[in-house]
Amino acid sequence: MRFVFLGPPGVGKGTQAARFSERHKLPHIATGDLLRVAIKEETSVGLKAKSFIENGRLVPDEVIIALMEDRIQAPDAKSGYILDGFPRTIAQAKALSEILTRNGVALDCVVYFSLDDETLMERIVGRRTCPDCHAIYHVSYHPPEKEGLCHCGGILFQRKDDVPETVAERLAVYKNETSPLITYYKNENILTEINADQSVDRIAENLQKMV
Ligand code: AP5
């Protein structure tokens, strides 16, 4: 099964992808996580991506496409995956389609998570992330058992791009560059919309009904 989880920043793609991945034993491939690891390790991709991410802009297509081409052809992704955060531009969607065609496979479904801007902002600024296992928490909606600590023992932090000014830029970038993918995948007849203004459990149940 090959899925794309599409939607604005903070809508809950990562939260749902982590659950879905565990349930269906599919790799959860999150471009944001791959890029943050690359930045931490100061790889050439990380050095190219750093300022774009910190300013809420998209990393150039050629950098992301090369990164994802390698990742989705890795042995653990042979029978499927969940793509979280890719594609984010029409050029990326076309590149993905070419890679899939070359490999004789296709996407099963693009899940579009929808939510209003005010709730997105609230979810993002309250998010806390684990640097070690990438678990996602929220100070109000999903607090850790011990304040500031992940279940794995990692010390939770607030992402640099999760401050209101950068979030506003990310939302604008999403509207201009990523939202055209909704029509793109509708035209391919593989788009399903999920209302993300529901509890994490309810959204997971709706996702479950789709497979
Ligand atoms: P990335 O890390 O992918 O960020 P994003 O898409 O902006 O998505 P987020 O991680 O912000 O949100 P999410 O939808 O996963 O929500 P989450 O589950 O965490 O990308 C970061 C940057 O990397 C980009 O800005 C760009 O620079 C670069 N980049 C990445 N991919 C790229 C690409 N393809 N091309 C170019 N550049 C790229 O949930 C959010 C919060 O809400 C959490 O606190 C969670 O606990 C809470 N929550 C979740 N669901 C619910 C619910 N149902 N009810 C209440 N709270 C909830």
Side-chain angles (χ1 to χ4, degrees):
M1 292 188 289
R2 290 173 184 79
F3 293 88
V4 166
F5 281 11
L6 175 69
V11 74
K13 303 179 296 294
T15 300
Q16 294 298 333
R19 283 194 172 205
F20 198 78
S21 148
E22 207 175 304
R23 190 162 192 164
H24 294 280
K25 307 286 172 242
L26 286 173
H28 169 195
I29 302 178
T31 38
D33 288 343
L34 293 175
L35 291 168
R36 281 182 287 277
V37 169
I39 290 173
K40 198 169 160 192
E41 293 175 352
E42 299 184 339
T43 65
S44 65
V45 167
L47 295 174
K48 284 179 202 150
K50 191 169 191 286
S51 67
F52 290 99
I53 294 192
E54 288 180 358
N55 291 309
R57 312 293 301 277
L58 290 185
V59 175
D61 284 336
E62 63 275 15
V63 176
I64 292 291
I65 292 167
L67 180 76
M68 293 305 280
E69 180 159 17
D70 281 352
R71 182 63 191 90
I72 63 180
Q73 294 183 115
D76 71 322
K78 279 258 174 306
S79 52
Y81 39 71
I82 305 153
L83 300 182
D84 164 13
F86 178 84
R88 261 186 225 232
T89 62
I90 296 285
Q92 292 179 19
K94 289 185 174 163
L96 173 62
S97 165
E98 279 167 24
I99 298 166
L100 294 171
T101 305
R102 239 183 284 135
N103 287 296
V105 293
L107 290 176
D108 291 281
C109 185
V110 175
V111 185
Y112 162 50
F113 297 88
S114 57
L115 191 62
D116 65 275
D117 285 3
E118 200 182 320
T119 315
L120 290 170
M121 181 66 86
E122 198 188 346
R123 286 191 186 174
I124 298 181
V125 297
R127 172 169 47 198
R128 298 294 179 268
T129 308
C130 176
D132 300 331
C133 73
H134 306 298
I136 302 164
Y137 293 88
H138 190 280
V139 289
S140 313
Y141 305 128
H142 179 40
E145 264 179 37
K146 283 192 193 152
E147 201 184 323
L149 270 191
C150 181
H151 61 84
C152 77
I155 296 172
L156 300 179
F157 75 105
Q158 182 174 34
R159 279 168 41 182
K160 271 193 187 161
D161 59 343
D162 279 355
V163 294
E165 314 75 65
T166 314
V167 175
E169 176 65 19
R170 285 164 63 198
L171 288 172
V173 167
Y174 169 78
K175 285 188 180 115
N176 290 331
E177 303 192 44
T178 307
S179 67
L181 290 178
I182 300 166
T183 305
Y184 177 91
Y185 283 120
K186 249 186 205 160
N187 291 340
E188 305 247 310
N189 286 322
I190 49 170
L191 190 96
T192 299
E193 180 170 349
I194 286 195
N195 170 18
D197 194 9
Q198 307 180 77
S199 70
V200 171
D201 287 343
R202 182 57 65 86
I203 297 169
E205 277 167 30
N206 288 342
L207 263 178
Q208 204 42 42
K209 286 181 199 150
M210 290 170 20
V211 290

